[in-house]
Amino acid sequence: MTSQITLRRPDDWHLHLRDGNMLRAVLPSTATHFARAIIMPNLVPPVVTSADAAGYRDRILSALPEGSIFEPLMTLYLTEQTDPDDVAAAHASGLIKAVKLYPAGATTNSASGVSHFDSVRPTLERMAEIGLPLCVHGEVTDSDIDIFDREAVFIDRVLDPIRRTTPGLRVVMEHITTSNAVDYARSQDETLGATITTHHLVINRNHILAGGIKPHYYCLPVAKREEHRLALRDAATSGEARFFLGTDSAPHTDANKLLPCGCAGCFTAPNTMSILAQAFEEDGALDKLEGFTSLNGPAFYGLPVNKETITLTKGDPVTYPSHVETPDGPVTVFDPGFDLNWRVE
Ligand code: NCD
Ligand code: ZN
């Protein structure tokens, strides 16, 4: 029985670090285990220009604990006013690694997102030319579309048309939650990648809604039926290069989660690696964990894999603090609902 595994140091291909007090409180959780992360730009106001991204990167670097080595991979938030030249310059200088598409109103701080896809066409075409990936929050926002169907409808109405009209554009389907998304990803060539979160591998919609409402399991895209969770588990543990980890760790204070209209987001950064090891072991796929967390993402983004390694050891249940404290109040750490036996050394 395997009791220890050593992996290339993992990267997180979708992470929310926020800013200010929250940034300083949550960054160590990621920097302890991960070498790099794609940093989501949905601040208030959003990270729209290369100057915004440069400023945000500096704030992240100065919030890093002494001696920790972590590289934030910056993104720009695509708006209908985005200047393709600014995007190209930010890419050429190495400042940004992707551009993020939020359909307007789809999720937390997405009010500046895109409503008219024709207005961003020049930017998408430029990105295809220069090989800069587009990270996509894949949900339509139409009020007549059921929230559990928003991802599947987005694939048909928005994503597939973008793929057809912008050949060569590298696209990441982010935080996929349905078998429809898994099937679509598998139908596409190597210019399409898909990230899967830790929490969507271990919860389905019953965890949120059955036996009392559990705000800490509420995130967007919302967790779906069990059959979809199983499709995600199959994809993540398949070893296929198109699937890689994007935790979507999205901290909100408990005060902002536990409201009549609470925020969406699960804070999984502290215990993600232990949860993933447990899940991959359960599926007899520990040998596929390194590909998912450490190899497939760099290959998609054309970046080197990390030289350093991390080791996980199996033993007595590991406990993580239930909260991370911030000056604005506690942030609850995601509870997978089962024992974690894998400890990151
Ligand atoms: C994210 C956030 O809080 O910024 N929330 C979430 O539920 N995942 C936004 C997002 O990625 O949709
Ligand atoms: Zn996110």
Side-chain angles (χ1 to χ4, degrees):
M1 201 178 72
T2 313
S3 58
Q4 196 166 69
I5 46 170
T6 295
L7 315 170
R8 295 275 185 166
R9 198 168 177 81
D11 301 304
D12 185 348
W13 300 95
H14 180 130
L15 176 66
H16 298 270
L17 285 177
R18 317 300 189 201
D19 215 341
N21 287 338
M22 182 68 94
L23 167 63
R24 283 185 290 277
V26 301
L27 178 58
S29 298
T30 289
T32 306
H33 297 158
F34 293 86
R36 299 171 290 197
I38 284 276
I39 308 301
M40 286 298 118
N42 63 331
L43 304 182
V44 188
V47 179
V48 172
T49 64
S50 53
D52 297 338
Y56 187 29
R57 181 181 61 182
D58 291 347
R59 297 197 297 282
I60 295 169
L61 292 175
S62 40
L64 272 175
E66 194 74 35
S68 90
I69 307 164
F70 171 77
E71 186 185 357
L73 306 174
M74 306 310 292
T75 62
L76 294 182
Y77 186 123
L78 183 64
T79 73
E80 293 178 16
Q81 286 74 44
T82 293
D83 172 7
D85 289 337
D86 185 51
V87 170
H91 173 247
S93 72
L95 172 64
I96 62 160
K97 295 291 180 273
V99 170
K100 172 74 189 237
L101 166 64
Y102 288 103
T107 186
T108 312
N109 306 333
S110 61
S112 325
V114 176
S115 307
H116 305 98
F117 285 85
D118 283 342
S119 36
V120 297
R121 180 144 307 289
T123 302
L124 300 186
E125 280 166 7
R126 189 69 165 274
M127 289 169 60
E129 269 167 48
I130 62 180
L132 178 62
L134 179 72
C135 292
V136 178
H137 182 111
E139 289 189 288
V140 294
T141 55
D142 313 52
S143 56
D144 61 324
I145 304 293
D146 189 279
I147 191 164
F148 292 101
D149 297 334
R150 289 179 174 193
E151 181 173 283
V153 172
F154 182 90
I155 294 169
D156 291 343
R157 287 196 192 165
V158 183
L159 179 61
D160 194 57
I162 290 178
R163 298 279 298 155
R164 288 174 193 280
T165 52
T166 328
L169 179 65
R170 301 183 71 72
V171 173
V172 181
M173 297 174 74
E174 297 197 284
H175 42 51
I176 60 171
T177 60
T178 57
S179 62
N180 313 66
V182 170
D183 293 346
Y184 186 78
R186 284 182 166 144
S187 76
Q188 299 291 298
D189 66 12
E190 76 295 341
T191 59
L192 188 100
T195 59
I196 304 176
T197 76
T198 307
H199 48 283
H200 288 115
L201 292 174
V202 299
I203 63 165
N204 62 32
R205 64 195 201 177
N206 277 8
H207 290 82
I208 312 171
L209 295 170
I213 191 158
K214 318 288 191 322
H216 294 299
Y217 290 149
Y218 172 61
C219 67
L220 289 171
V222 70
K224 310 293 192 298
R225 288 176 181 274
E226 176 66 357
E227 68 199 56
H228 295 291
R229 185 186 73 88
L230 294 175
L232 298 174
R233 283 282 277 255
D234 178 72
T237 59
S238 68
E240 289 166 56
R242 58 172 65 85
F243 298 115
F244 42 94
L245 174 65
T247 65
D248 195 13
S249 180
H252 294 278
T253 60
D254 288 357
N256 285 331
K257 290 285 293 176
L258 308 177
L259 285 176
C261 183
C263 291
C266 297
F267 179 48
T268 54
N271 53 9
T272 273
M273 290 308 298
S274 293
I275 297 172
L276 290 174
Q278 203 80 31
F280 276 63
E281 181 188 38
E282 192 178 303
D283 291 2
L286 270 180
D287 60 323
K288 301 294 195 309
L289 182 59
E290 184 179 40
F292 184 67
T293 62
S294 317
L295 306 178
N296 299 348
F300 182 87
Y301 277 92
L303 295 171
V305 298
N306 297 310
K307 292 199 180 64
E308 312 77 36
T309 57
I310 63 165
T311 295
L312 291 113
T313 305
K314 189 176 178 185
D316 293 335
V318 193
T319 51
Y320 286 88
S322 61
H323 295 84
V324 166
E325 294 299 336
T326 84
D328 307 319
V331 177
T332 291
V333 176
F334 179 77
D335 173 7
F338 48 80
D339 280 349
L340 296 176
N341 297 103
W342 290 91
R343 175 192 309 278
V344 182
E345 296 302 334

